[in-house]
Amino acid sequence: MREIIYFDNAATSWPKPQETLDAMDHFNRHVGANPGRSGHSLSIDAGRVLMDTREALAELFGIDEMLRIIFTKNATEALNIVTLGLLGPGDHVITSGMEHNSVMRPLRSLEDRRLELDVVRCSASGEIDPRDVEQAIKPHTRAIILTHASNVTGTIMPLSTVGAMARERGIVFCVDASQTAGAIPIDVNEMFIDLLVFTGHKSLYGPQGTGGLYMGPGLEKQIKPLIMGGTGSRSEFEHQPEFLPDKFESGTPNAMGIAGLGAGVRFVLDTGVENIHSREMELSARLLGGLLEIPGVTVYGGGDAQRRTPVVSFVVSGMSPSETALLLDEDFGIMSRPGLHCSPSAHHTIGTFPEGTVRFSIGYFTTPWEIDYALNAVEQLASRQEEGALA
Amino acid sequence: MTATDFQVVIFDSVSSALLAEKILKKLDIPFKIIPVPRHISSDCGVCIRFSARERERIEGSLAGRVGIQTILPL
């Protein structure tokens, strides 16, 4: 079997910890029931699995009430609950020029229905100036939606500063932590976060099909659910319950996936977010430093590995990103992601639209050897290209 | 009231009942999760049964933290 170097952890982390796989296997073999739908002991056990996962997530994010955590199938669904459920005609919303389409597309669709949207410009390295956010605030600003870190450049946003600004003015502060939850410390109270969107299958090491939303006190009264239906509670009523998490959790949940997510979050808590972060920063510095030294390679985003997630976007001169990624896969077994990464806005900001970049995203399980191997591969491609150009 | 008198806490959801379970376990208060008795509610969920003499401790530790509908003698 050929060697596989998996550098696409920003799309989904792989491999998963053994604990994640074991928890899902255990759920399927020994629990299996529908959580919260019956009074029998297996159904209660399934309910406990969900509750244990909420407890682990609450511990990770400094959340006081674990029932304020809503499970969704991914971060996109959680962002749609926020955007489509909270915002309406006449509201003003601020976001950044580094957002993923899971933020931009629902917002653009609301813009067609008289939502007023301000996209704050970021620097070419993807950084936002909090003063620009402050200047964009209007009397009718309802929400500020900001990514914690860009999925294209890894640039980390100044959450606490923007969060304090929003809190002072009674503006809802929503953070998309898809790229950071589990990899960088997050505390919803310290960062003034009202709505925290997370995905389960990246740095929380759960399976695909898991994600969620933390909803701050009182917001459940302002946000409409996207999906309504059976919740196992108040079954005698034909109206959707108003309390959390049931208001936003209709239908049978992905209990097997949430079992895996719970084990993934426990893995993060046991390993320590700080330890994960410093290991990833060490690996990231090695990758970033190496790429910057290769002639013919342009790296996007800031050059300081400490101020970004372990995501590096680059282009080999004279070679399209898709061609580079194909050669990395076919000739070297390296899995990367070329193109726009579902973030056209971010690529406009860093000046790589519409061609995009090649993205390497490493993770906690990446080894220094894999990084050196990949650097060597990129170097070979770049020099091949140069020789081709000279010939 | 005798030691065998039981009461039940009825919650607004199964999630609340399971959150109450977490809280009571940590406090070492004896209780049992049972399906909601049909004569009490038509809800298909679960409730927490406890000995009547624990009522004060149970109420004190859950009030304000968990969505409780009512507490009733069984």
Short mmCIF file of all heavy atoms in Angstrom, two decimals, chain A residues 47-110:
data_model
loop_
_atom_site.label_atom_id
_atom_site.label_comp_id
_atom_site.label_asym_id
_atom_site.label_seq_id
_atom_site.Cartn_x
_atom_site.Cartn_y
_atom_site.Cartn_z
N GLY A 47 -29.84 8.50 26.13
CA GLY A 47 -29.96 9.89 26.58
C GLY A 47 -28.75 10.32 27.40
O GLY A 47 -28.28 11.45 27.28
N ARG A 48 -28.24 9.38 28.20
CA ARG A 48 -27.04 9.69 29.02
C ARG A 48 -25.82 9.95 28.14
O ARG A 48 -24.96 10.77 28.47
CB ARG A 48 -26.74 8.54 29.98
CG ARG A 48 -27.71 8.47 31.14
CD ARG A 48 -27.34 7.34 32.09
NE ARG A 48 -28.32 7.27 33.16
CZ ARG A 48 -29.04 6.18 33.44
NH1 ARG A 48 -28.86 5.06 32.75
NH2 ARG A 48 -29.92 6.20 34.43
N VAL A 49 -25.73 9.23 27.03
CA VAL A 49 -24.61 9.45 26.10
C VAL A 49 -24.63 10.89 25.61
O VAL A 49 -23.60 11.58 25.58
CB VAL A 49 -24.69 8.45 24.92
CG1 VAL A 49 -23.76 8.86 23.80
CG2 VAL A 49 -24.39 7.03 25.39
N LEU A 50 -25.82 11.38 25.23
CA LEU A 50 -25.94 12.77 24.76
C LEU A 50 -25.57 13.74 25.87
O LEU A 50 -24.88 14.73 25.65
CB LEU A 50 -27.38 13.04 24.30
CG LEU A 50 -27.68 12.84 22.82
CD1 LEU A 50 -27.44 11.41 22.37
CD2 LEU A 50 -29.11 13.25 22.49
N MET A 51 -26.07 13.43 27.08
CA MET A 51 -25.82 14.33 28.21
C MET A 51 -24.34 14.36 28.57
O MET A 51 -23.79 15.42 28.88
CB MET A 51 -26.66 13.86 29.41
CG MET A 51 -26.93 14.90 30.46
SD MET A 51 -27.67 16.40 29.85
CE MET A 51 -29.18 15.73 29.21
N ASP A 52 -23.66 13.21 28.51
CA ASP A 52 -22.22 13.18 28.80
C ASP A 52 -21.45 14.01 27.78
O ASP A 52 -20.46 14.67 28.12
CB ASP A 52 -21.70 11.73 28.77
CG ASP A 52 -22.20 10.92 29.98
OD1 ASP A 52 -22.67 11.55 30.95
OD2 ASP A 52 -22.12 9.67 29.93
N THR A 53 -21.90 13.98 26.53
CA THR A 53 -21.22 14.78 25.50
C THR A 53 -21.45 16.26 25.75
O THR A 53 -20.53 17.08 25.62
CB THR A 53 -21.72 14.37 24.10
OG1 THR A 53 -21.48 12.97 23.93
CG2 THR A 53 -21.00 15.14 23.00
N ARG A 54 -22.69 16.62 26.15
CA ARG A 54 -22.96 18.03 26.48
C ARG A 54 -22.08 18.47 27.65
O ARG A 54 -21.53 19.58 27.65
CB ARG A 54 -24.43 18.22 26.89
CG ARG A 54 -25.40 18.18 25.74
CD ARG A 54 -26.82 18.57 26.22
NE ARG A 54 -27.82 17.68 25.70
CZ ARG A 54 -28.40 17.78 24.52
NH1 ARG A 54 -28.06 18.77 23.72
NH2 ARG A 54 -29.30 16.92 24.10
N GLU A 55 -21.92 17.57 28.63
CA GLU A 55 -21.12 17.92 29.82
C GLU A 55 -19.66 18.17 29.42
O GLU A 55 -19.04 19.14 29.88
CB GLU A 55 -21.20 16.78 30.84
CG GLU A 55 -20.55 17.11 32.16
CD GLU A 55 -20.77 16.02 33.21
OE1 GLU A 55 -20.66 14.80 32.86
OE2 GLU A 55 -21.03 16.36 34.37
N ALA A 56 -19.13 17.31 28.55
CA ALA A 56 -17.73 17.47 28.11
C ALA A 56 -17.56 18.78 27.33
O ALA A 56 -16.58 19.52 27.53
CB ALA A 56 -17.31 16.28 27.25
N LEU A 57 -18.52 19.08 26.46
CA LEU A 57 -18.44 20.32 25.67
C LEU A 57 -18.54 21.55 26.58
O LEU A 57 -17.83 22.54 26.39
CB LEU A 57 -19.57 20.35 24.63
CG LEU A 57 -19.37 19.42 23.43
CD1 LEU A 57 -20.70 19.19 22.70
CD2 LEU A 57 -18.33 19.97 22.46
N ALA A 58 -19.44 21.47 27.59
CA ALA A 58 -19.60 22.59 28.52
C ALA A 58 -18.29 22.84 29.26
O ALA A 58 -17.87 23.99 29.45
CB ALA A 58 -20.73 22.30 29.50
N GLU A 59 -17.62 21.76 29.64
CA GLU A 59 -16.34 21.90 30.34
C GLU A 59 -15.30 22.55 29.42
O GLU A 59 -14.56 23.44 29.82
CB GLU A 59 -15.87 20.50 30.78
CG GLU A 59 -14.66 20.52 31.68
CD GLU A 59 -14.23 19.11 32.10
OE1 GLU A 59 -15.10 18.20 32.14
OE2 GLU A 59 -13.04 18.93 32.36
N LEU A 60 -15.28 22.12 28.16
CA LEU A 60 -14.30 22.63 27.20
C LEU A 60 -14.47 24.12 26.93
O LEU A 60 -13.49 24.85 26.79
CB LEU A 60 -14.41 21.83 25.90
CG LEU A 60 -13.40 22.17 24.80
CD1 LEU A 60 -11.98 21.82 25.24
CD2 LEU A 60 -13.73 21.43 23.51
N PHE A 61 -15.72 24.58 26.83
CA PHE A 61 -15.97 25.96 26.42
C PHE A 61 -16.36 26.89 27.59
O PHE A 61 -16.75 28.03 27.36
CB PHE A 61 -17.10 26.01 25.38
CG PHE A 61 -16.81 25.25 24.11
CD1 PHE A 61 -17.76 24.39 23.55
CD2 PHE A 61 -15.60 25.38 23.46
CE1 PHE A 61 -17.51 23.69 22.38
CE2 PHE A 61 -15.32 24.68 22.28
CZ PHE A 61 -16.27 23.83 21.75
N GLY A 62 -16.29 26.39 28.82
CA GLY A 62 -16.63 27.23 29.98
C GLY A 62 -18.10 27.60 30.03
O GLY A 62 -18.47 28.70 30.44
N ILE A 63 -18.96 26.68 29.58
CA ILE A 63 -20.41 26.94 29.54
C ILE A 63 -21.04 26.50 30.87
O ILE A 63 -20.81 25.39 31.34
CB ILE A 63 -21.05 26.17 28.35
CG1 ILE A 63 -20.54 26.77 27.03
CG2 ILE A 63 -22.58 26.18 28.43
CD1 ILE A 63 -20.82 25.90 25.81
N ASP A 64 -21.83 27.40 31.48
CA ASP A 64 -22.40 27.11 32.79
C ASP A 64 -23.56 26.11 32.72
O ASP A 64 -23.68 25.24 33.57
CB ASP A 64 -22.89 28.40 33.45
CG ASP A 64 -21.78 29.43 33.55
OD1 ASP A 64 -20.64 29.01 33.84
OD2 ASP A 64 -22.02 30.63 33.31
N GLU A 65 -24.44 26.27 31.73
CA GLU A 65 -25.62 25.40 31.64
C GLU A 65 -25.49 24.50 30.42
O GLU A 65 -25.60 24.96 29.29
CB GLU A 65 -26.90 26.24 31.49
CG GLU A 65 -27.19 27.17 32.64
CD GLU A 65 -28.37 28.07 32.31
OE1 GLU A 65 -29.44 27.55 31.96
OE2 GLU A 65 -28.20 29.30 32.35
N MET A 66 -25.29 23.20 30.65
CA MET A 66 -25.01 22.31 29.52
C MET A 66 -26.21 22.12 28.58
O MET A 66 -26.03 21.76 27.43
CB MET A 66 -24.47 20.97 30.00
CG MET A 66 -25.42 20.14 30.81
SD MET A 66 -24.66 18.58 31.29
CE MET A 66 -24.00 18.99 32.91
N LEU A 67 -27.43 22.40 29.07
CA LEU A 67 -28.59 22.26 28.18
C LEU A 67 -28.71 23.42 27.20
O LEU A 67 -29.59 23.44 26.34
CB LEU A 67 -29.89 22.12 28.99
CG LEU A 67 -30.02 20.84 29.83
CD1 LEU A 67 -31.40 20.74 30.45
CD2 LEU A 67 -29.73 19.59 29.00
N ARG A 68 -27.79 24.38 27.30
CA ARG A 68 -27.73 25.44 26.30
C ARG A 68 -26.93 25.00 25.07
O ARG A 68 -26.71 25.78 24.15
CB ARG A 68 -27.11 26.71 26.89
CG ARG A 68 -27.92 27.28 28.02
CD ARG A 68 -27.74 28.75 28.24
NE ARG A 68 -28.97 29.25 28.84
CZ ARG A 68 -30.04 29.62 28.14
NH1 ARG A 68 -29.99 29.66 26.84
NH2 ARG A 68 -31.13 29.99 28.75
N ILE A 69 -26.45 23.76 25.09
CA ILE A 69 -25.72 23.23 23.93
C ILE A 69 -26.70 22.42 23.08
O ILE A 69 -27.33 21.48 23.56
CB ILE A 69 -24.55 22.35 24.38
CG1 ILE A 69 -23.53 23.21 25.15
CG2 ILE A 69 -23.89 21.67 23.17
CD1 ILE A 69 -22.49 22.42 25.88
N ILE A 70 -26.82 22.81 21.81
CA ILE A 70 -27.75 22.18 20.86
C ILE A 70 -26.92 21.37 19.87
O ILE A 70 -25.94 21.88 19.32
CB ILE A 70 -28.53 23.28 20.10
CG1 ILE A 70 -29.37 24.09 21.08
CG2 ILE A 70 -29.35 22.70 18.97
CD1 ILE A 70 -29.63 25.51 20.60
N PHE A 71 -27.30 20.11 19.65
CA PHE A 71 -26.59 19.31 18.64
C PHE A 71 -27.20 19.55 17.26
O PHE A 71 -28.43 19.60 17.11
CB PHE A 71 -26.66 17.83 18.98
CG PHE A 71 -25.85 17.46 20.19
CD1 PHE A 71 -26.44 16.86 21.29
CD2 PHE A 71 -24.48 17.73 20.24
CE1 PHE A 71 -25.70 16.53 22.42
CE2 PHE A 71 -23.72 17.40 21.36
CZ PHE A 71 -24.34 16.80 22.45
N THR A 72 -26.33 19.69 16.27
CA THR A 72 -26.75 19.82 14.88
C THR A 72 -25.94 18.83 14.06
O THR A 72 -25.06 18.16 14.60
CB THR A 72 -26.47 21.23 14.34
OG1 THR A 72 -25.07 21.50 14.43
CG2 THR A 72 -27.23 22.29 15.13
N LYS A 73 -26.23 18.75 12.76
CA LYS A 73 -25.47 17.77 11.97
C LYS A 73 -24.11 18.31 11.55
O LYS A 73 -23.23 17.54 11.17
CB LYS A 73 -26.30 17.28 10.78
CG LYS A 73 -26.52 18.26 9.65
CD LYS A 73 -27.19 17.49 8.50
CE LYS A 73 -27.24 18.30 7.23
NZ LYS A 73 -28.32 19.31 7.26
N ASN A 74 -23.94 19.61 11.62
CA ASN A 74 -22.63 20.22 11.30
C ASN A 74 -22.67 21.70 11.69
O ASN A 74 -23.71 22.20 12.14
CB ASN A 74 -22.29 20.05 9.82
CG ASN A 74 -23.47 20.39 8.92
OD1 ASN A 74 -24.22 21.31 9.20
ND2 ASN A 74 -23.64 19.63 7.85
N ALA A 75 -21.56 22.39 11.48
CA ALA A 75 -21.50 23.82 11.81
C ALA A 75 -22.41 24.61 10.87
O ALA A 75 -23.00 25.63 11.26
CB ALA A 75 -20.06 24.33 11.72
N THR A 76 -22.54 24.16 9.63
CA THR A 76 -23.37 24.86 8.66
C THR A 76 -24.82 24.95 9.15
O THR A 76 -25.45 26.01 9.08
CB THR A 76 -23.31 24.14 7.30
OG1 THR A 76 -21.96 24.14 6.86
CG2 THR A 76 -24.19 24.82 6.27
N GLU A 77 -25.35 23.84 9.64
CA GLU A 77 -26.72 23.86 10.15
C GLU A 77 -26.83 24.83 11.34
O GLU A 77 -27.78 25.61 11.43
CB GLU A 77 -27.17 22.45 10.59
CG GLU A 77 -28.63 22.43 11.02
CD GLU A 77 -29.06 21.09 11.65
OE1 GLU A 77 -28.33 20.09 11.51
OE2 GLU A 77 -30.12 21.08 12.28
N ALA A 78 -25.85 24.80 12.21
CA ALA A 78 -25.86 25.71 13.37
C ALA A 78 -25.83 27.17 12.91
O ALA A 78 -26.55 28.02 13.45
CB ALA A 78 -24.68 25.41 14.28
N LEU A 79 -25.02 27.47 11.90
CA LEU A 79 -24.95 28.85 11.40
C LEU A 79 -26.25 29.26 10.71
O LEU A 79 -26.65 30.42 10.77
CB LEU A 79 -23.77 29.00 10.43
CG LEU A 79 -22.40 29.07 11.13
CD1 LEU A 79 -21.26 28.78 10.17
CD2 LEU A 79 -22.21 30.44 11.80
N ASN A 80 -26.92 28.30 10.09
CA ASN A 80 -28.21 28.60 9.48
C ASN A 80 -29.28 28.86 10.54
O ASN A 80 -30.17 29.69 10.34
CB ASN A 80 -28.64 27.47 8.53
CG ASN A 80 -28.08 27.67 7.13
OD1 ASN A 80 -28.75 28.20 6.26
ND2 ASN A 80 -26.82 27.29 6.93
N ILE A 81 -29.21 28.15 11.66
CA ILE A 81 -30.15 28.42 12.76
C ILE A 81 -29.97 29.87 13.22
O ILE A 81 -30.93 30.62 13.40
CB ILE A 81 -29.93 27.45 13.95
CG1 ILE A 81 -30.35 26.03 13.55
CG2 ILE A 81 -30.72 27.92 15.18
CD1 ILE A 81 -30.06 24.98 14.61
N VAL A 82 -28.69 30.27 13.35
CA VAL A 82 -28.40 31.63 13.82
C VAL A 82 -28.86 32.67 12.79
O VAL A 82 -29.61 33.60 13.13
CB VAL A 82 -26.89 31.81 14.08
CG1 VAL A 82 -26.55 33.26 14.33
CG2 VAL A 82 -26.45 30.95 15.26
N THR A 83 -28.43 32.52 11.56
CA THR A 83 -28.69 33.56 10.57
C THR A 83 -30.18 33.60 10.19
O THR A 83 -30.81 34.64 10.28
CB THR A 83 -27.83 33.35 9.31
OG1 THR A 83 -27.89 31.96 8.95
CG2 THR A 83 -26.39 33.71 9.57
N LEU A 84 -30.73 32.47 9.81
CA LEU A 84 -32.12 32.47 9.35
C LEU A 84 -33.10 32.56 10.50
O LEU A 84 -34.22 33.06 10.33
CB LEU A 84 -32.40 31.21 8.51
CG LEU A 84 -31.49 30.99 7.30
CD1 LEU A 84 -31.88 29.73 6.55
CD2 LEU A 84 -31.50 32.19 6.36
N GLY A 85 -32.71 32.09 11.69
CA GLY A 85 -33.63 32.09 12.82
C GLY A 85 -33.65 33.40 13.60
O GLY A 85 -34.64 33.72 14.25
N LEU A 86 -32.54 34.14 13.55
CA LEU A 86 -32.44 35.37 14.36
C LEU A 86 -32.69 36.63 13.55
O LEU A 86 -33.30 37.58 14.03
CB LEU A 86 -31.05 35.45 15.01
CG LEU A 86 -30.72 36.73 15.80
CD1 LEU A 86 -31.51 36.77 17.11
CD2 LEU A 86 -29.23 36.83 16.10
N LEU A 87 -32.19 36.64 12.30
CA LEU A 87 -32.13 37.90 11.56
C LEU A 87 -33.30 38.06 10.60
O LEU A 87 -33.80 37.08 10.04
CB LEU A 87 -30.81 37.96 10.78
CG LEU A 87 -29.57 37.73 11.66
CD1 LEU A 87 -28.35 37.54 10.81
CD2 LEU A 87 -29.39 38.91 12.62
N GLY A 88 -33.71 39.29 10.41
CA GLY A 88 -34.83 39.53 9.50
C GLY A 88 -34.73 40.89 8.85
O GLY A 88 -33.74 41.61 9.03
N PRO A 89 -35.75 41.25 8.08
CA PRO A 89 -35.77 42.53 7.38
C PRO A 89 -35.55 43.69 8.34
O PRO A 89 -36.11 43.70 9.44
CB PRO A 89 -37.18 42.59 6.78
CG PRO A 89 -37.65 41.18 6.73
CD PRO A 89 -36.98 40.47 7.86
N GLY A 90 -34.72 44.63 7.93
CA GLY A 90 -34.48 45.81 8.76
C GLY A 90 -33.34 45.65 9.75
O GLY A 90 -32.87 46.63 10.32
N ASP A 91 -32.86 44.41 9.95
CA ASP A 91 -31.72 44.21 10.85
C ASP A 91 -30.42 44.55 10.12
O ASP A 91 -30.31 44.36 8.91
CB ASP A 91 -31.63 42.75 11.31
CG ASP A 91 -32.65 42.40 12.37
OD1 ASP A 91 -33.08 43.31 13.10
OD2 ASP A 91 -33.02 41.21 12.47
N HIS A 92 -29.44 45.02 10.87
CA HIS A 92 -28.10 45.26 10.33
C HIS A 92 -27.15 44.24 10.93
O HIS A 92 -27.20 43.97 12.13
CB HIS A 92 -27.64 46.68 10.68
CG HIS A 92 -26.24 46.98 10.25
ND1 HIS A 92 -25.23 47.21 11.14
CD2 HIS A 92 -25.69 47.06 9.01
CE1 HIS A 92 -24.10 47.44 10.46
NE2 HIS A 92 -24.36 47.36 9.18
N VAL A 93 -26.31 43.65 10.08
CA VAL A 93 -25.39 42.61 10.53
C VAL A 93 -23.98 42.93 10.03
O VAL A 93 -23.80 43.41 8.92
CB VAL A 93 -25.81 41.23 9.99
CG1 VAL A 93 -24.83 40.17 10.42
CG2 VAL A 93 -27.18 40.87 10.49
N ILE A 94 -23.01 42.64 10.89
CA ILE A 94 -21.61 42.85 10.52
C ILE A 94 -20.90 41.50 10.48
O ILE A 94 -21.07 40.68 11.39
CB ILE A 94 -20.90 43.77 11.54
CG1 ILE A 94 -21.59 45.15 11.58
CG2 ILE A 94 -19.42 43.92 11.22
CD1 ILE A 94 -21.13 46.02 12.75
N THR A 95 -20.13 41.28 9.43
CA THR A 95 -19.28 40.09 9.39
C THR A 95 -17.94 40.49 8.76
O THR A 95 -17.72 41.66 8.47
CB THR A 95 -19.98 38.93 8.64
OG1 THR A 95 -19.23 37.74 8.84
CG2 THR A 95 -20.10 39.20 7.14
N SER A 96 -17.04 39.51 8.58
CA SER A 96 -15.71 39.86 8.07
C SER A 96 -15.53 39.38 6.64
O SER A 96 -16.33 38.59 6.14
CB SER A 96 -14.64 39.22 8.95
OG SER A 96 -14.39 37.89 8.52
N GLY A 97 -14.49 39.86 6.02
CA GLY A 97 -14.16 39.46 4.65
C GLY A 97 -13.40 38.15 4.60
O GLY A 97 -12.80 37.82 3.58
N MET A 98 -13.41 37.38 5.69
CA MET A 98 -12.68 36.10 5.72
C MET A 98 -13.62 34.93 5.98
O MET A 98 -13.18 33.84 6.32
CB MET A 98 -11.59 36.14 6.80
CG MET A 98 -10.43 37.07 6.51
SD MET A 98 -9.58 36.72 4.94
CE MET A 98 -8.67 35.25 5.37
N GLU A 99 -14.93 35.16 5.83
CA GLU A 99 -15.88 34.12 6.24
C GLU A 99 -16.05 33.01 5.19
O GLU A 99 -15.87 33.21 4.00
CB GLU A 99 -17.25 34.74 6.54
CG GLU A 99 -17.22 35.81 7.61
CD GLU A 99 -16.71 35.33 8.96
OE1 GLU A 99 -17.12 34.24 9.39
OE2 GLU A 99 -15.91 36.05 9.58
N HIS A 100 -16.46 31.88 5.70
CA HIS A 100 -16.81 30.71 4.90
C HIS A 100 -18.20 30.92 4.30
O HIS A 100 -18.99 31.72 4.81
CB HIS A 100 -16.83 29.52 5.87
CG HIS A 100 -16.93 28.17 5.25
ND1 HIS A 100 -18.13 27.58 4.96
CD2 HIS A 100 -15.96 27.29 4.87
CE1 HIS A 100 -17.91 26.38 4.44
NE2 HIS A 100 -16.60 26.17 4.37
N ASN A 101 -18.51 30.19 3.26
CA ASN A 101 -19.83 30.31 2.64
C ASN A 101 -20.98 29.88 3.57
O ASN A 101 -22.12 30.23 3.32
CB ASN A 101 -19.88 29.51 1.34
CG ASN A 101 -19.59 30.40 0.13
OD1 ASN A 101 -19.58 31.63 0.25
ND2 ASN A 101 -19.34 29.80 -1.02
N SER A 102 -20.68 29.12 4.60
CA SER A 102 -21.73 28.74 5.54
C SER A 102 -22.24 29.96 6.31
O SER A 102 -23.33 29.94 6.86
CB SER A 102 -21.24 27.66 6.51
OG SER A 102 -20.03 28.06 7.11
N VAL A 103 -21.44 31.02 6.33
CA VAL A 103 -21.89 32.30 6.88
C VAL A 103 -22.41 33.19 5.75
O VAL A 103 -23.49 33.76 5.83
CB VAL A 103 -20.73 33.03 7.64
CG1 VAL A 103 -21.10 34.47 7.97
CG2 VAL A 103 -20.39 32.27 8.91
N MET A 104 -21.61 33.28 4.67
CA MET A 104 -21.93 34.24 3.61
C MET A 104 -23.21 33.90 2.86
O MET A 104 -24.01 34.79 2.55
CB MET A 104 -20.77 34.35 2.62
CG MET A 104 -19.51 34.97 3.18
SD MET A 104 -19.76 36.49 4.15
CE MET A 104 -20.37 37.62 2.90
N ARG A 105 -23.42 32.64 2.53
CA ARG A 105 -24.59 32.32 1.70
C ARG A 105 -25.92 32.59 2.39
O ARG A 105 -26.79 33.24 1.79
CB ARG A 105 -24.50 30.88 1.18
CG ARG A 105 -23.48 30.76 0.06
CD ARG A 105 -23.43 29.37 -0.53
NE ARG A 105 -22.59 29.34 -1.71
CZ ARG A 105 -22.19 28.22 -2.33
NH1 ARG A 105 -22.56 27.05 -1.84
NH2 ARG A 105 -21.45 28.28 -3.40
N PRO A 106 -26.12 32.14 3.63
CA PRO A 106 -27.39 32.52 4.27
C PRO A 106 -27.53 34.03 4.44
O PRO A 106 -28.62 34.58 4.28
CB PRO A 106 -27.37 31.80 5.63
CG PRO A 106 -26.06 31.12 5.75
CD PRO A 106 -25.36 31.17 4.44
N LEU A 107 -26.41 34.73 4.72
CA LEU A 107 -26.51 36.19 4.89
C LEU A 107 -26.87 36.86 3.56
O LEU A 107 -27.69 37.77 3.52
CB LEU A 107 -25.19 36.77 5.43
CG LEU A 107 -24.90 36.51 6.92
CD1 LEU A 107 -23.57 37.15 7.32
CD2 LEU A 107 -26.03 37.06 7.80
N ARG A 108 -26.23 36.39 2.47
CA ARG A 108 -26.57 36.98 1.16
C ARG A 108 -28.02 36.72 0.81
O ARG A 108 -28.68 37.56 0.21
CB ARG A 108 -25.66 36.42 0.07
CG ARG A 108 -24.19 36.86 0.17
CD ARG A 108 -24.02 38.34 -0.04
NE ARG A 108 -22.60 38.72 0.00
CZ ARG A 108 -22.17 39.95 0.25
NH1 ARG A 108 -23.03 40.93 0.49
NH2 ARG A 108 -20.88 40.22 0.26
N SER A 109 -28.55 35.55 1.19
CA SER A 109 -29.95 35.26 0.87
C SER A 109 -30.87 36.19 1.67
O SER A 109 -31.92 36.60 1.18
CB SER A 109 -30.28 33.79 1.14
OG SER A 109 -30.58 33.59 2.50
N LEU A 110 -30.45 36.53 2.90
CA LEU A 110 -31.27 37.45 3.71
C LEU A 110 -31.17 38.88 3.19
O LEU A 110 -32.10 39.67 3.32
CB LEU A 110 -30.81 37.40 5.17
CG LEU A 110 -31.19 36.14 5.95
CD1 LEU A 110 -30.45 36.10 7.28
CD2 LEU A 110 -32.69 36.08 6.19
#
